[in-house]
């Protein structure tokens, strides 16, 4: 061995030993942190989980929302894994510059794959670096840069990781070129395009170097490649909160252990509240002793899967870019929330048990949620992983609409909404620290069974003066088995004037189509959606138990619902408390009736509204996707197909639609809270709808109707929208098109 080889080998092996040792230590620290979390059963159906993992990783299905980025990342990811063998080869080249891996080293398909992935990895990471620079907050629209999805991300870490990959791929290609040149100088038959298809042209750059010089050059580049790789390993081992690097390992586990083994996102039903290791149920509520932890009040109250979620965050900001709260100048950023919880977890985890003992003695601890005294113009100040006043400001927690955009966008399957609601549960049930408006909501739901505090006997007022009799369970029918559907009216559909028009329209359409249906009348009570998402799990359980008992006793099997929130709760959450039914949204059922020719739209746009509240269809229509119908339940086509069936109507799609639809602002119990921070979410969405130039803004949820109608009224009063524009439910439009105007 030459002196150069000895020095290179010493440096490379020394840094490798340090790198591997630190990586082992860091891995143990991560595992120890996850073990601090509470139990979570995510080991079911391993076959389906494996298939989901393979599909999401190899197909990059969660990355495809940004196609070019997805392609660049795919090649970068694959090159990181497959080209690991070139690192092994580099160690051999330190001792013998002509070294090649046994069996496959000169196997031309392997050489082709190596060069292809090295080049595509180089181009891929170059694009990702350029893209990050292009979207840098300093170049983003807005004075504070918050329009950039990378606002708040740790840039030095991202650039370091990206430059490491860039350096490694350049070393691989340089080594391949030098190997070609060395073989050519010595007359080796392998120096051909068959073995060096994409680097032979580079090898000709060193055609004038002798064999000894080329060998020394190979040793230097091989050592450089190893040093770059091991320096990266040391850096990430010393920074275990470096999500942009650690996700390369943790993402596989996070995807495998995602909530739904079949690959569905963690939307629809909320995870049940876990008490003493078991889901809270109406039965277990009676066994509570009063000292249990309800929800999440400190970081080790999260499950191990929650702690894994936080550590897996790549800081890509896709969730942030879609968040309605963040996009209306509120402090909530799902990304910053995950980063803060991650940093807090890892700062405390090694000392968690000792800290708990010390806290028990002193009685002092930094609360997870509280008042940080943050500056709204500088939202990063709302997140303080190390305190001193609180880790996360309460405004962050209560700004969430639970729309699910963050969960739907996340490429590594982080379950943001579940974590937010878990923290709300603790604030509501243990600390009684919730927005003041929710106090009235809870009281009304407890005492009257609806958010408005209206009398139960008024639940059938919407049906007055209809030209047919609405059947009521217990009066007109003894069992719901006698009818085709139970029509679940919901609180809004029974009490809110605008929603009543939708209720009447659906009832008329079902009657016109010959669908035999009945309602519960004053037997209905609130489904508990808002209570649950506001963190009042106890109230939700009580309401859900009451409704499920009523439905089961009545023999309900098929239910049609007009409210997207009721739809989601009965369909996805009532099975948690023993209620299993076939639940359809009214747009799904009405679309089916139109397809089956039981309803036929015939009238043209511009007809006079009918006495039952049907609205003119209008000449052009745009549709707003309710979050709890679209993202949470994947119902996108039926409302659009219904609109498409209306004669003479031009459909105009908003830019943010389908899975990227923008929230109306009413979800997550925000319907009942004042919007005091930033701009109004409903105005943001209304302005986008008005910008399409459509005559009608169609909706499929009473909450959306309230929010967008209020937004439209504000825009019309400011002269920013035409006076003839209306917000209407799809059912009202369909009724106008199938029933002759009075």
């Amino acid at each position: 061995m030459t002196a150069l080889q000895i020095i290179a080998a010493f440096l490379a092996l020394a840094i490798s030993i340090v790198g591997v040792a630190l990586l082992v230590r860091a891995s143990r620290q991560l595992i120890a942190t996850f073990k601090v979390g509470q139990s979570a059963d995510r080991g079911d159906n391993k076959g389906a989980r494996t298939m989901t993992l393979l599909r999401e990783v190899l197909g990059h299905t969660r990355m495809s929302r940004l196609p070019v980025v997805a392609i660049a990342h795919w090649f970068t990811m694959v090159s990181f894994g497959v080209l690991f063998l070139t690192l092994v080869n580099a160690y051999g080249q330190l001792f013998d510059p002509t070294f090649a891996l046994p069996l496959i080293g000169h196997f031309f398909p392997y050489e082709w794959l190596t060069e292809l992935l090295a080049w595509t990895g180089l181009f891929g990471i170059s694009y990702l670096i350029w893209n990050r620079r292009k979207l840098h907050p300093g170049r983003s629209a807005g004075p504070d840069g918050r329009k950039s999805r990378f606002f708040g991300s740790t840039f030095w870490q991202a650039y370091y990781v990206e430059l490491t990959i860039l350096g490694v791929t350049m070393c691989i290609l340089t080594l391949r070129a030098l190997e070609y040149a060395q073989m050519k100088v010595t007359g080796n038959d392998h120096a051909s395009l068959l073995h060096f298809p994409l680097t032979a042209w580079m090898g000709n750059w060193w055609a004038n170097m002798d064999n000894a010089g080329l060998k020394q050059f190979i040793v230097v580049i091989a050592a450089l490649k190893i040093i770059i790789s091991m320096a990266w390993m040391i850096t990430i081992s010393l920074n275990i909160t470096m999500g942009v690097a650690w996700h390369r390992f943790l993402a596989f586990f996070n995807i495998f252990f995602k909530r739904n083994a079949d690959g569905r996102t963690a939307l629809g039903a909320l995870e049940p509240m876990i008490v003493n290791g078991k889901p809270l149920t109406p039965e277990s509520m009676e066994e509570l002793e009063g000292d249990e932890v309800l929800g999440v009040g400190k970081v080790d109250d999260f499950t191990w899967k929650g702690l894994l979620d936080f550590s897996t965050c790549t800081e890509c900001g896709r969730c942030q870019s879609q968040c309605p709260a963040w996009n209306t100048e509120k402090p909530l950023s799902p990304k910053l929330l995950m980063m803060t919880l991650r940093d807090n977890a890892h700062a405390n985890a090694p000392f968690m048990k000792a800290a708990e003992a010390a806290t028990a003695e002193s009685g002092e601890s930094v609360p997870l949620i509280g008042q940080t005294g943050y500056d709204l113009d500088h939202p990063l100040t709302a997140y303080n992983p190390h305190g001193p006043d609180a880790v996360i400001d309460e405004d962050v927690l209560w700004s969430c609409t639970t729309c699910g955009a963050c969960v739907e966008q996340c490429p590594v399957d982080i379950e943001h909404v579940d974590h937010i609601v878990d923290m709300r549960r603790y604030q509501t049930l243990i600390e009684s620290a919730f927005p003041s408006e929710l106090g009235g909501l809870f009281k009304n739901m407890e005492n009257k069974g609806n958010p408005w505090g209206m009398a139960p006997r008024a639940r059938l007022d919407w049906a007055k003066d209809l030209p047919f009799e609405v059947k009521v369970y217990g009066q007109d029918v003894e069992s719901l088995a006698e009818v085709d559907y139970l029509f679940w009216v919901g609180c809004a559909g029974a009490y809110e004037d605008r929603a009543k028009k939708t209720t009447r329209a659906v009832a008329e359409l079902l009657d016109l189509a010959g669908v035999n249906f009945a309602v519960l009348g004053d037997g209905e009570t609130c489904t508990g959606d808002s209570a649950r998402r506001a963190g009042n799990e106890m109230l939700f359980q009580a309401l859900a138990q009451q409704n499920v008992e009523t439905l089961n006793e009545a023999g309900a099997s098929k239910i049609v619902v007009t409210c997207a929130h009721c739809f989601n709760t009965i369909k996805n959450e009532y099975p948690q408390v023993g209620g299993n039914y076939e639940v359809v949204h009214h747009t799904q059922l009405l679309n089916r009736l139109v397809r089956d020719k039981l309803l036929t739209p015939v009238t043209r746009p511009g007809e006079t509204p009918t006495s039952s509240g049907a609205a003119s269809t209008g000449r052009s229509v745009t549709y707003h996707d309710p979050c709890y119908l679209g993202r949470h339940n994947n119902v996108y086509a039926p409302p659009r197909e219904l609109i498409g069936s209306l004669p003479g109507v031009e459909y105009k799609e908003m830019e943010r639609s389908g899975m990227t639809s923008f929230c109306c602002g009413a979800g997550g119990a925000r319907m009942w809270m004042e919007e005091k921070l930033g701009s109004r979410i409903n105005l943001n969405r209304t302005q986008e709808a008005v910008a399409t130039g459509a005559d009608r803004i169609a909706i499929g949820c009473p909450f959306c109707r309230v929010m967008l109608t209020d937004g439209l009224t504000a825009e019309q009063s400011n002269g920013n929208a035409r006076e003839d524009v209306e917000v209407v439910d799809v059912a009202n439009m369909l009724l106008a098109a199938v029933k002759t105007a009075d």
Side-chain angles (χ1 to χ4, degrees), residues 22-34 237 240 246:
L22 288 176
L23 185 66
V24 170
R25 188 189 72 167
S27 299
R28 294 177 66 181
Q29 287 177 334
L30 283 168
I31 294 172
T33 299
F34 302 150
S237 298
I240 57 174
W246 278 103

Side-chain angles (χ1 to χ4, degrees), residues 391-402:
V391 177
I392 299 157
D393 195 90
E394 59 189 9
D395 285 344
V396 171
L397 186 68
W398 294 106
S399 292
C400 180
T401 68
T402 66

Side-chain angles (χ1 to χ4, degrees), residues 146-147 323-331 376 399 401 656 662-665 670 674-685 687 707 715:
R146 64 182 290 155
K147 294 293 184 183
C323 178
W326 183 258
N327 278 283
T328 51
E329 301 83 46
K330 295 171 181 60
L376 186 59
S399 292
T401 68
R656 295 179 294 187
F662 197 72
C663 182
C664 75
R670 289 297 316 176
E674 288 295 324
E675 197 167 353
K676 302 172 183 177
L677 303 174
S679 58
R680 298 186 68 85
I681 295 174
N682 65 326
L683 279 178
N684 185 298
R685 184 55 165 173
Q687 288 163 359
M707 300 301 284
E715 288 297 285

